[in-house]
Amino acid sequence: MKSLPRYPGQLDWLKRLFEECHQAFLADRPVDKALGAAFRRFPNLGAKDRRFYGTAIFGLYRYWGWLRGTVSPDPLLGLYLAYFLEEEPPSQLWSEALGLPAAPDFPPRGLNAKLAWIRTFVPQANLEDLTPKFLPPFGPSTLEALSQRPPTWIRLAGNGKFSLQLGQIKHHRHQHLNTAIALEQPLDLQPYLGEVEIQDLSSQAVGLACAAQPGQSWLDLCAGAGGKALHLWQQMKGKGRLVLTETRESTLAEARERFGSTKGVEFVWLATDHNLDLGGGFDGVLVDVPCSGSGTWGRAPWLRWQLTPKVLAELAPLQSALLAQGASQVKPGGVLLYATCSLLEVENQGIVQAFLAQHPEFSLAPFADPLTGKPTAGERLVLPEEEDSNGMYFCRMKRVV
Ligand SMILES: C[S@@+](CC[C@H](N)C(=O)[O-])C[C@H]1O[C@@H](n2cnc3c(N)ncnc32)[C@H](O)[C@@H]1O
């Protein structure tokens, strides 16, 4: 591993990019989007430099619970510690710029060892500081997994030229889903999109639990940019009717672009205060609701600190309302899938139990867990530590009458 930075100008860039990202962070905007926008404005920054800046900045938010006191007045100390905690070696140049007599030893792996290490700089640090105080504590292995970036998972959607690329990079296939592949090295997937889709393993499991069939009609109520909808359409072998609804116009446009001009697929923009009027009668409805995203904190570490009790309290009624709307579109005998990328019970089992209590026409529909093959009673919580993926909850229900 080469230590960075190699020249002082890289520290100036790091500071500059951090300032932009931090403004986004404080305004509850996504840090990855802010960093991506900055990179587009400065196309001369090379791929290795970008990786360096991204690692230090993402690391800072991953360990923000420990490092928040180290970024002012100069963010370079916090970024330096974050780089260590991300298991990358900062160069001597960086230690000297901070006036440190010598670089500290590299921290050992694992959160407990990292905690002991960071206490040299932040004596009051504790493991509990890594979770917002108002949330119930996560188990140690979940907290550990949420402190690491999972690999990029892809779904093989075609069967042609992409397989050739796989021979050239480190990867592993999922033991049950042979179309799910974790890339262990960076790879530009842009030329292969369509052949492969970037889709987390847990999200692929949701698609498979839907088990959409050719010729059926499906509604994806919170379609986003169409990640799960593309998977449904693949299961339907391009035959039947698929309706994507979404409140963000630009996101729906992205989904439309990913599908191209596919006959049988409809895109419907909804106002936030919409009355859903799609005629009902769907064989299946997927309700992949907006949520805290707590299962994705390994990939998007800033989200952990942008969640507040108010945000969480506002999500529950929206999630319940969307589930009820989705339910209204399911035909008797049809299926309803509820999904979140959250690990929090209030957004998962809490919403489903309240729904089932109010809707006796629905009941849990058992399915085989796509990740293990084992039977479930109708719901599944994928923990991020199980398979090095995002965490996700999904529940399959059936309309009985
Ligand atoms: C978890 S994301 C969906 C991700 C998407 N299913 C995928 O697989 O890529 C939730 C989506 O719900 C959308 N949304 C928020 N409020 C909504 C509403 N009232 N009706 C429909 N969609 C809504 C958000 O804009 C967001 O794109």
Side-chain angles (χ1 to χ4, degrees):
M1 241 187 304
K2 239 176 153 189
S3 55
L4 286 165
R6 291 185 307 279
Y7 53 91
Q10 284 177 307
L11 287 180
D12 298 333
W13 269 110
L14 178 58
K15 257 165 102 160
R16 179 176 181 169
L17 293 166
F18 165 73
E19 299 299 351
E20 288 199 26
C21 289
H22 203 51
Q23 278 182 23
F25 173 68
L26 295 175
D28 290 336
R29 286 188 283 112
V31 169
D32 58 345
K33 292 254 163 62
L35 190 60
F39 285 160
R40 279 194 293 283
R41 272 188 289 117
F42 304 112
N44 290 340
L45 296 174
K48 283 190 186 139
D49 286 12
R50 289 172 185 217
R51 211 156 24 247
F52 165 60
Y53 303 132
T55 303
I57 292 171
F58 275 39
L60 185 69
Y61 297 112
R62 200 180 306 286
Y63 296 100
W64 185 245
W66 293 344
L67 300 179
R68 50 162 50 101
T70 63
V71 291
S72 164
D74 180 352
L76 279 187
L77 175 62
L79 290 160
Y80 174 81
L81 298 172
Y83 201 60
F84 264 110
L85 290 166
E86 290 287 85
E87 301 177 15
E88 297 283 348
S91 65
Q92 187 66 25
L93 188 154
W94 200 345
S95 316
E96 282 166 11
L98 291 169
L100 297 175
D105 290 337
F106 211 58
R109 292 201 153 195
L111 273 184
N112 282 316
K114 285 180 178 171
L115 174 64
W117 182 90
I118 198 66
R119 280 185 172 158
T120 315
F121 299 89
V122 185
Q124 72 283 10
N126 270 306
L127 272 191
E128 299 79 64
D129 302 339
L130 295 180
T131 309
K133 298 270 180 289
F134 67 93
L135 292 179
F138 293 107
S141 47
T142 302
L143 193 58
E144 189 83 49
L146 289 175
S147 303
Q148 280 155 32
R149 187 184 163 80
T152 298
W153 283 93
I154 56 169
R155 176 171 59 79
L156 293 182
N159 46 18
K161 53 189 178 176
F162 184 73
S163 308
L164 294 175
Q165 298 305 312
L166 280 175
Q168 293 163 31
I169 56 155
K170 276 177 78 180
H171 68 278
H172 66 268
R173 265 174 210 261
H174 187 269
Q175 59 183 113
H176 282 281
L177 309 185
N178 63 8
T179 52
I181 292 171
L183 302 182
E184 291 156 34
Q185 276 178 270
L187 175 67
D188 178 13
L189 290 164
Q190 201 62 35
Y192 308 103
L193 293 181
E195 275 288 305
V196 295
E197 297 296 340
I198 301 170
Q199 189 181 17
D200 190 77
L201 178 69
S202 59
S203 165
Q204 297 188 38
V206 176
L208 290 167
C210 289
Q213 301 296 318
Q216 287 188 330
S217 58
W218 272 78
L219 166 64
D220 184 354
L221 182 60
C222 303
K228 293 186 187 66
L230 281 166
H231 196 185
L232 292 180
W233 194 234
Q234 191 188 358
Q235 290 172 32
M236 293 163 75
K237 300 197 174 7
K239 294 188 182 79
R241 179 182 182 218
L242 176 60
V243 181
L244 284 73
T245 56
E246 169 58 50
T247 47
R248 283 185 298 177
E249 257 178 306
S250 58
T251 310
L252 190 64
E254 220 178 297
R256 195 191 288 270
E257 204 175 311
R258 288 173 86 185
F259 270 90
S261 56
T262 307
K263 207 168 145 260
V265 187
E266 299 159 40
F267 301 87
V268 180
W269 174 76
L270 300 173
T272 32
D273 57 351
H274 62 265
N275 268 331
L276 199 62
D277 183 15
L278 296 169
F282 285 88
D283 293 298
V285 175
L286 171 61
V287 188
D288 182 20
V289 292
C291 70
S292 64
S294 46
T296 68
W297 287 351
R299 265 185 228 291
W302 55 91
L303 285 181
R304 190 186 300 218
W305 312 109
Q306 291 175 336
L307 183 63
T308 62
K310 181 169 178 284
V311 171
L312 197 56
E314 285 169 0
L315 280 168
L318 175 63
Q319 291 162 341
S320 293
L322 287 169
L323 181 55
Q325 279 184 18
S328 73
Q329 301 301 307
V330 180
K331 73 175 192 189
V335 293
L336 174 65
L337 269 289
Y338 175 77
T340 74
C341 53
S342 170
L343 301 172
L344 305 176
E345 204 176 321
V346 283
E347 301 182 88
N348 296 339
Q349 297 91 337
I351 299 290
V352 166
Q353 279 161 19
F355 170 81
L356 288 173
Q358 285 164 14
H359 293 83
E361 71 277 23
F362 281 89
S363 63
L364 285 180
F367 62 91
D369 178 359
L371 299 178
T372 63
K374 292 187 184 144
T376 72
E379 55 179 355
R380 171 75 156 102
L381 177 66
V382 179
L383 294 171
E385 64 267 37
E386 283 177 43
E387 311 236 21
D388 228 357
S389 70
N390 289 345
M392 190 113 205
Y393 169 83
F394 49 98
C395 175
R396 182 178 163 99
M397 292 162 271
K398 196 173 173 78
R399 181 168 194 150
V400 206
V401 282

PDB file of all heavy atoms in Angstrom, residues 179-196:
ATOM      1  N   THR A 179     -26.222 -15.269  -9.996  1.00  0.00           N
ATOM      2  CA  THR A 179     -26.200 -14.015 -10.756  1.00  0.00           C
ATOM      3  C   THR A 179     -25.735 -12.847  -9.886  1.00  0.00           C
ATOM      4  O   THR A 179     -25.611 -11.726 -10.377  1.00  0.00           O
ATOM      5  CB  THR A 179     -27.602 -13.680 -11.304  1.00  0.00           C
ATOM      6  OG1 THR A 179     -28.525 -13.740 -10.226  1.00  0.00           O
ATOM      7  CG2 THR A 179     -28.027 -14.650 -12.400  1.00  0.00           C
ATOM      8  N   ALA A 180     -25.482 -13.091  -8.590  1.00  0.00           N
ATOM      9  CA  ALA A 180     -25.021 -12.017  -7.691  1.00  0.00           C
ATOM     10  C   ALA A 180     -23.518 -12.154  -7.487  1.00  0.00           C
ATOM     11  O   ALA A 180     -23.031 -13.200  -7.050  1.00  0.00           O
ATOM     12  CB  ALA A 180     -25.747 -12.103  -6.354  1.00  0.00           C
ATOM     13  N   ILE A 181     -22.792 -11.084  -7.816  1.00  0.00           N
ATOM     14  CA  ILE A 181     -21.334 -11.139  -7.767  1.00  0.00           C
ATOM     15  C   ILE A 181     -20.800  -9.933  -7.007  1.00  0.00           C
ATOM     16  O   ILE A 181     -21.227  -8.796  -7.256  1.00  0.00           O
ATOM     17  CB  ILE A 181     -20.766 -11.163  -9.201  1.00  0.00           C
ATOM     18  CG1 ILE A 181     -21.152 -12.498  -9.825  1.00  0.00           C
ATOM     19  CG2 ILE A 181     -19.256 -10.960  -9.229  1.00  0.00           C
ATOM     20  CD1 ILE A 181     -20.861 -12.612 -11.278  1.00  0.00           C
ATOM     21  N   ALA A 182     -19.884 -10.189  -6.060  1.00  0.00           N
ATOM     22  CA  ALA A 182     -19.245  -9.100  -5.316  1.00  0.00           C
ATOM     23  C   ALA A 182     -17.906  -8.801  -5.968  1.00  0.00           C
ATOM     24  O   ALA A 182     -17.085  -9.711  -6.135  1.00  0.00           O
ATOM     25  CB  ALA A 182     -19.049  -9.515  -3.866  1.00  0.00           C
ATOM     26  N   LEU A 183     -17.697  -7.547  -6.356  1.00  0.00           N
ATOM     27  CA  LEU A 183     -16.430  -7.169  -6.979  1.00  0.00           C
ATOM     28  C   LEU A 183     -15.453  -6.766  -5.883  1.00  0.00           C
ATOM     29  O   LEU A 183     -15.771  -5.925  -5.045  1.00  0.00           O
ATOM     30  CB  LEU A 183     -16.642  -5.995  -7.946  1.00  0.00           C
ATOM     31  CG  LEU A 183     -17.655  -6.241  -9.063  1.00  0.00           C
ATOM     32  CD1 LEU A 183     -17.734  -5.020  -9.962  1.00  0.00           C
ATOM     33  CD2 LEU A 183     -17.294  -7.482  -9.881  1.00  0.00           C
ATOM     34  N   GLU A 184     -14.290  -7.358  -5.897  1.00  0.00           N
ATOM     35  CA  GLU A 184     -13.304  -7.050  -4.856  1.00  0.00           C
ATOM     36  C   GLU A 184     -12.282  -6.038  -5.352  1.00  0.00           C
ATOM     37  O   GLU A 184     -11.348  -5.699  -4.643  1.00  0.00           O
ATOM     38  CB  GLU A 184     -12.618  -8.337  -4.386  1.00  0.00           C
ATOM     39  CG  GLU A 184     -13.580  -9.234  -3.604  1.00  0.00           C
ATOM     40  CD  GLU A 184     -13.180 -10.694  -3.617  1.00  0.00           C
ATOM     41  OE1 GLU A 184     -11.979 -10.987  -3.620  1.00  0.00           O
ATOM     42  OE2 GLU A 184     -14.088 -11.551  -3.639  1.00  0.00           O
ATOM     43  N   GLN A 185     -12.457  -5.583  -6.569  1.00  0.00           N
ATOM     44  CA  GLN A 185     -11.568  -4.565  -7.142  1.00  0.00           C
ATOM     45  C   GLN A 185     -12.436  -3.556  -7.866  1.00  0.00           C
ATOM     46  O   GLN A 185     -13.499  -3.927  -8.381  1.00  0.00           O
ATOM     47  CB  GLN A 185     -10.670  -5.202  -8.204  1.00  0.00           C
ATOM     48  CG  GLN A 185      -9.451  -5.870  -7.691  1.00  0.00           C
ATOM     49  CD  GLN A 185      -8.701  -6.477  -8.872  1.00  0.00           C
ATOM     50  OE1 GLN A 185      -8.948  -7.609  -9.215  1.00  0.00           O
ATOM     51  NE2 GLN A 185      -7.835  -5.709  -9.492  1.00  0.00           N
ATOM     52  N   PRO A 186     -11.992  -2.287  -7.939  1.00  0.00           N
ATOM     53  CA  PRO A 186     -12.798  -1.327  -8.692  1.00  0.00           C
ATOM     54  C   PRO A 186     -12.817  -1.686 -10.180  1.00  0.00           C
ATOM     55  O   PRO A 186     -11.838  -2.197 -10.710  1.00  0.00           O
ATOM     56  CB  PRO A 186     -12.074   0.016  -8.480  1.00  0.00           C
ATOM     57  CG  PRO A 186     -10.933  -0.245  -7.558  1.00  0.00           C
ATOM     58  CD  PRO A 186     -10.771  -1.717  -7.377  1.00  0.00           C
ATOM     59  N   LEU A 187     -13.953  -1.455 -10.809  1.00  0.00           N
ATOM     60  CA  LEU A 187     -14.079  -1.724 -12.248  1.00  0.00           C
ATOM     61  C   LEU A 187     -15.075  -0.724 -12.817  1.00  0.00           C
ATOM     62  O   LEU A 187     -16.121  -0.479 -12.206  1.00  0.00           O
ATOM     63  CB  LEU A 187     -14.600  -3.159 -12.443  1.00  0.00           C
ATOM     64  CG  LEU A 187     -14.907  -3.580 -13.880  1.00  0.00           C
ATOM     65  CD1 LEU A 187     -13.630  -3.662 -14.712  1.00  0.00           C
ATOM     66  CD2 LEU A 187     -15.612  -4.945 -13.907  1.00  0.00           C
ATOM     67  N   ASP A 188     -14.751  -0.120 -13.943  1.00  0.00           N
ATOM     68  CA  ASP A 188     -15.686   0.807 -14.584  1.00  0.00           C
ATOM     69  C   ASP A 188     -16.778  -0.022 -15.257  1.00  0.00           C
ATOM     70  O   ASP A 188     -16.533  -0.694 -16.262  1.00  0.00           O
ATOM     71  CB  ASP A 188     -14.934   1.666 -15.609  1.00  0.00           C
ATOM     72  CG  ASP A 188     -15.886   2.617 -16.322  1.00  0.00           C
ATOM     73  OD1 ASP A 188     -17.042   2.763 -15.842  1.00  0.00           O
ATOM     74  OD2 ASP A 188     -15.491   3.213 -17.344  1.00  0.00           O
ATOM     75  N   LEU A 189     -17.992   0.050 -14.684  1.00  0.00           N
ATOM     76  CA  LEU A 189     -19.075  -0.800 -15.197  1.00  0.00           C
ATOM     77  C   LEU A 189     -19.901  -0.100 -16.267  1.00  0.00           C
ATOM     78  O   LEU A 189     -20.784  -0.707 -16.872  1.00  0.00           O
ATOM     79  CB  LEU A 189     -19.980  -1.222 -14.027  1.00  0.00           C
ATOM     80  CG  LEU A 189     -19.322  -2.216 -13.062  1.00  0.00           C
ATOM     81  CD1 LEU A 189     -20.076  -2.282 -11.757  1.00  0.00           C
ATOM     82  CD2 LEU A 189     -19.229  -3.605 -13.695  1.00  0.00           C
ATOM     83  N   GLN A 190     -19.619   1.177 -16.468  1.00  0.00           N
ATOM     84  CA  GLN A 190     -20.428   1.975 -17.408  1.00  0.00           C
ATOM     85  C   GLN A 190     -20.635   1.282 -18.764  1.00  0.00           C
ATOM     86  O   GLN A 190     -21.767   1.193 -19.241  1.00  0.00           O
ATOM     87  CB  GLN A 190     -19.766   3.358 -17.589  1.00  0.00           C
ATOM     88  CG  GLN A 190     -20.693   4.445 -18.102  1.00  0.00           C
ATOM     89  CD  GLN A 190     -21.856   4.723 -17.158  1.00  0.00           C
ATOM     90  OE1 GLN A 190     -21.697   4.645 -15.952  1.00  0.00           O
ATOM     91  NE2 GLN A 190     -23.025   5.001 -17.709  1.00  0.00           N
ATOM     92  N   PRO A 191     -19.556   0.748 -19.384  1.00  0.00           N
ATOM     93  CA  PRO A 191     -19.766   0.148 -20.709  1.00  0.00           C
ATOM     94  C   PRO A 191     -20.654  -1.099 -20.688  1.00  0.00           C
ATOM     95  O   PRO A 191     -21.098  -1.550 -21.738  1.00  0.00           O
ATOM     96  CB  PRO A 191     -18.344  -0.231 -21.160  1.00  0.00           C
ATOM     97  CG  PRO A 191     -17.403   0.412 -20.224  1.00  0.00           C
ATOM     98  CD  PRO A 191     -18.154   0.709 -18.972  1.00  0.00           C
ATOM     99  N   TYR A 192     -20.887  -1.656 -19.505  1.00  0.00           N
ATOM    100  CA  TYR A 192     -21.597  -2.946 -19.438  1.00  0.00           C
ATOM    101  C   TYR A 192     -23.000  -2.834 -18.863  1.00  0.00           C
ATOM    102  O   TYR A 192     -23.676  -3.844 -18.682  1.00  0.00           O
ATOM    103  CB  TYR A 192     -20.784  -3.940 -18.601  1.00  0.00           C
ATOM    104  CG  TYR A 192     -19.360  -4.038 -19.080  1.00  0.00           C
ATOM    105  CD1 TYR A 192     -18.338  -3.408 -18.389  1.00  0.00           C
ATOM    106  CD2 TYR A 192     -19.058  -4.716 -20.258  1.00  0.00           C
ATOM    107  CE1 TYR A 192     -17.030  -3.456 -18.850  1.00  0.00           C
ATOM    108  CE2 TYR A 192     -17.759  -4.770 -20.723  1.00  0.00           C
ATOM    109  CZ  TYR A 192     -16.748  -4.132 -20.022  1.00  0.00           C
ATOM    110  OH  TYR A 192     -15.476  -4.178 -20.486  1.00  0.00           O
ATOM    111  N   LEU A 193     -23.429  -1.596 -18.530  1.00  0.00           N
ATOM    112  CA  LEU A 193     -24.748  -1.462 -17.911  1.00  0.00           C
ATOM    113  C   LEU A 193     -25.810  -1.987 -18.869  1.00  0.00           C
ATOM    114  O   LEU A 193     -25.770  -1.727 -20.072  1.00  0.00           O
ATOM    115  CB  LEU A 193     -25.023  -0.009 -17.510  1.00  0.00           C
ATOM    116  CG  LEU A 193     -24.108   0.498 -16.380  1.00  0.00           C
ATOM    117  CD1 LEU A 193     -24.452   1.932 -16.013  1.00  0.00           C
ATOM    118  CD2 LEU A 193     -24.158  -0.396 -15.137  1.00  0.00           C
ATOM    119  N   GLY A 194     -26.747  -2.728 -18.340  1.00  0.00           N
ATOM    120  CA  GLY A 194     -27.710  -3.440 -19.185  1.00  0.00           C
ATOM    121  C   GLY A 194     -27.356  -4.919 -19.153  1.00  0.00           C
ATOM    122  O   GLY A 194     -28.191  -5.770 -18.881  1.00  0.00           O
ATOM    123  N   GLU A 195     -26.070  -5.218 -19.419  1.00  0.00           N
ATOM    124  CA  GLU A 195     -25.543  -6.584 -19.258  1.00  0.00           C
ATOM    125  C   GLU A 195     -25.513  -6.941 -17.772  1.00  0.00           C
ATOM    126  O   GLU A 195     -25.763  -8.062 -17.375  1.00  0.00           O
ATOM    127  CB  GLU A 195     -24.082  -6.635 -19.714  1.00  0.00           C
ATOM    128  CG  GLU A 195     -23.820  -6.829 -21.165  1.00  0.00           C
ATOM    129  CD  GLU A 195     -24.132  -8.235 -21.603  1.00  0.00           C
ATOM    130  OE1 GLU A 195     -23.597  -9.185 -21.026  1.00  0.00           O
ATOM    131  OE2 GLU A 195     -24.929  -8.356 -22.527  1.00  0.00           O
ATOM    132  N   VAL A 196     -25.072  -5.926 -16.985  1.00  0.00           N
ATOM    133  CA  VAL A 196     -25.019  -6.088 -15.529  1.00  0.00           C
ATOM    134  C   VAL A 196     -25.677  -4.871 -14.920  1.00  0.00           C
ATOM    135  O   VAL A 196     -25.698  -3.798 -15.527  1.00  0.00           O
ATOM    136  CB  VAL A 196     -23.574  -6.145 -14.986  1.00  0.00           C
ATOM    137  CG1 VAL A 196     -22.843  -7.345 -15.454  1.00  0.00           C
ATOM    138  CG2 VAL A 196     -22.812  -4.883 -15.284  1.00  0.00           C
TER     139      VAL A 196
END
